[in-house]
Amino acid sequence: SSTTEFFTSNANFGPMRGEFSRLTGDNRLTDFNSWIRGRYAFWPKFSMYSGFGVSQVRAVDQVNEKTNSGLTETYLGGHFTVWRQWLLMVAEIEAGMPLDAGGPLVAFSKTQTMPLIADGAYYARAILHMRRNLGPANIFGYVGTHIPSEGLAKRLLYGVYGEFPIGDFLMAGGGVDGHEVLINDELTAAERNTTNVSANAGSQRYRSFDPAILRARGWLGFKPGKTVEIRAGYMQTLTGLRDAQGSAFTLNVVFSSIPKRTFRTRSGGDRLSAPGNTREFRLESETADPEVIAPSNDFEPQRGDDLNETERLFD
């Protein structure tokens, strides 16, 4: 899968919730982020994934126009189903290592002038995903924690969305997500702002002091085949504290395979392989039965704060 986000901002939310102020002069920050990810399901209720991020940030202030790009992070995580009755609950655990400034490859300076392309922090994250099907519609959400290094604030993550089919191949969805501070930053607002001013034209997109944000998202999706899903969306920040105010266009593409499973025919004859179906069947002809080959892929289009997709597991 791949997720791409083009974010632009010329303002920050202030220390009072909902209030925001424009950056000095015509200062502006744009951030083009992409994440590549692969996931393998070892068992029906457990899978692991790994991936990396890459970003290009352009910061424009009254004196300079600066650009920085590179790998931002690499991460490893897993999903496992914890409960599946009237509500599906899937736990996710993830650990990430920075590859930008502040990571193991490049030293970080509080007064650096090159734009920040990420927080530059190691992190651990634990999330509980929840989903409920209401007829053809899907209602899903999550709650979790994000624990970074570098003295950055520890955050509560949350989100709730709905997605509805439009015909056989299209879908539309939307919702809100965001984060709140659980444990305060170990540095001061002045120390964090020094970095933001020198590197990112004053934007509090990265390494901000005790940030909080609430975002609204909407998207349209397309399923050109049984193993491909594409979603194009728009994000707008609604309110927050000491975080970048702005908007983004997003694109999420997921390619999946149909697992082949082997079953015994009703008559006890030769074993047959069929993808994506757990019930027994009899091969009547060489014509493929669409019920037999139908996959049970199901994906969330976003993943909390960084817009990666999060897959939900099914039996």
Side-chain angles (χ1 to χ4, degrees), residues 207-268:
R207 285 189 176 249
S208 54
F209 176 79
D210 286 353
I213 199 73
L214 176 65
R215 300 171 288 238
R217 302 185 187 275
W219 64 84
L220 291 174
F222 175 53
K223 292 184 178 182
K226 293 182 179 297
T227 59
V228 180
E229 299 184 22
I230 302 172
R231 291 176 175 86
Y234 177 79
M235 182 278 291
Q236 177 66 55
T237 58
L238 299 177
T239 185
L241 293 168
R242 298 172 294 274
D243 209 326
Q245 188 270 344
S247 58
F249 293 97
T250 63
L251 179 67
N252 175 247
V253 182
V254 177
F255 300 93
S256 58
S257 63
I258 305 174
K260 289 187 177 181
R261 300 173 183 171
T262 303
F263 310 98
R264 187 175 299 276
T265 61
R266 294 181 186 276
S267 60

Side-chain angles (χ1 to χ4, degrees), residues 130-146:
M130 294 161 283
R131 176 189 155 175
R132 171 74 172 172
N133 293 339
L134 299 175
N138 297 326
I139 306 299
F140 50 97
Y142 65 89
V143 62
T145 59
H146 182 269

Side-chain angles (χ1 to χ4, degrees), residues 73 94 118-127 142-149 151-158 178-185 204-215 241-244 303-306:
E73 63 184 355
E94 180 181 300
D119 282 333
Y122 293 86
Y123 70 86
R125 192 178 66 169
I127 294 179
Y142 65 89
V143 62
T145 59
H146 182 269
I147 303 174
S149 63
L152 294 165
K154 282 60 176 175
R155 293 177 291 179
L156 168 72
L157 310 177
Y158 64 90
H179 57 255
E180 297 287 335
V181 174
L182 286 176
I183 301 177
N184 297 105
D185 199 313
Q204 295 176 341
R205 171 73 164 167
Y206 296 116
R207 285 189 176 249
S208 54
F209 176 79
D210 286 353
I213 199 73
L214 176 65
R215 300 171 288 238
L241 293 168
R242 298 172 294 274
D243 209 326
R303 185 195 75 170
D305 55 340
D306 58 8

Side-chain angles (χ1 to χ4, degrees), residues 14 25 55 69 97 101 143 153 159 195 231-232 271 287 294:
S55 176
S69 61
M97 180 180 73
V143 62
T195 303
R231 291 176 175 86
R271 295 176 67 84
T287 303

Side-chain angles (χ1 to χ4, degrees), residues 19 63 65 112 115 134 150 204 214 226-227 244 289-290 305 314:
E19 297 181 353
V63 178
E65 178 178 326
Q112 73 175 65
L134 299 175
E150 302 298 311
Q204 295 176 341
L214 176 65
K226 293 182 179 297
T227 59
D289 183 351
D305 55 340
F314 284 83

Side-chain angles (χ1 to χ4, degrees), residues 1-19:
S1 62
S2 68
T3 300
T4 299
E5 178 187 68
F6 179 74
F7 176 83
T8 180
S9 174
N10 64 356
N12 289 325
F13 288 106
M16 299 295 291
R17 188 174 295 273
E19 297 181 353

